[in-house]
Amino acid sequence: DTGVSQNPRHKITKRGQNVTFRCDPISEHNRLYWYRQTLGQGPEFLTYFQNEAQLEKSRLLSDRFSAERPKGSFSTLEIQRTEQGDSAMYLCASSSFDSNTGELFFGEGSRLTVL
Amino acid sequence: SQQGEEDPQALSIQEGENATMNCSYKTSINNLQWYRQNSGRGLVHLILIRSNEREKHSGRLRVTLDTSKKSSSLLITASRAADTASYFCATDRDNYGQNFVFGPGTRLSVLP
């Protein structure tokens, strides 16, 4: 296991289409996070899971966004009826709740462009 | 909303010089982390400092934390062109110190 893996790395879609991103965390990590990052800004928290339970969801996350982690391993983030404002880098990170450091391990991100 | 705010927003220095970035935050924390991000890539953890610590070192990195002023600084000594990146502070936002809010970052350019 070499780290957090995200797919696809790049996605170009037309407004109104649905897109889905997948994140495979480090296998022994029980926490999984989704962040969104726009150009020149820091990562913005979207949601996180502990095992399969979604513990928190940002108020910024509209009902067009849904995330799942069905078996407590990989996670998907779906955006329905995409809008141009959804264009961003979507970052996934994982961590171990048992860790003393709370360090987040990030994937390389999935860049979404909505035309 | 963002808990941490980095300062300056951008910093340009010559190779070999030291770079100092600051982070201010609003509410009490359990710990604070610094991350680095190369353009178009994911974030990489640099260092964590706990609320009961005042200073921490890792290689060419030195982090300080002043909880009374709710601020932290990251010092990179003897900078290299490869240090060119964005640097973010992240403060925890839950009681377990396991969920983090990131600031807008400092964009560091180290010129050869």
Side-chain angles (χ1 to χ4, degrees), chain A residues 14-73:
Chain A
K14 293 182 179 179
R15 189 178 55 183
Q17 298 295 305
N18 299 344
V19 296
T20 299
F21 301 116
R22 176 180 170 124
C23 173
D24 288 273
I26 293 173
S27 58
E28 61 268 26
H29 285 178
N30 46 23
R31 280 212 172 185
L32 186 148
Y33 306 77
W34 285 100
Y35 285 85
R36 176 171 63 190
Q37 186 179 29
T38 53
L39 195 63
Q41 297 298 314
E44 179 181 44
F45 171 76
L46 294 179
T47 188
Y48 82 95
F49 294 83
Q50 182 161 311
N51 300 313
E52 66 275 10
Q54 189 172 17
L55 295 188
E56 190 172 348
K57 187 175 174 180
S58 169
R59 288 173 292 176
L60 300 173
L61 211 60
S62 77
D63 56 7
R64 296 185 298 105
F65 288 71
S66 62
E68 293 183 344
R69 193 183 185 198
K71 297 181 180 179
S73 56

Side-chain angles (χ1 to χ4, degrees), chain B residues 32 34 47-59 61-67 71-75 77:
Chain B
L32 182 147
W34 284 90
I47 197 166
L48 175 146
I49 187 164
R50 301 189 188 282
S51 59
N52 62 353
E53 296 175 316
R54 292 296 167 259
E55 187 171 315
K56 207 163 182 180
H57 296 256
S58 177
L61 305 180
R62 173 178 169 253
V63 170
T64 62
L65 179 64
D66 187 335
T67 53
S71 68
S72 173
S73 68
L74 171 67
L75 169 67
T77 60

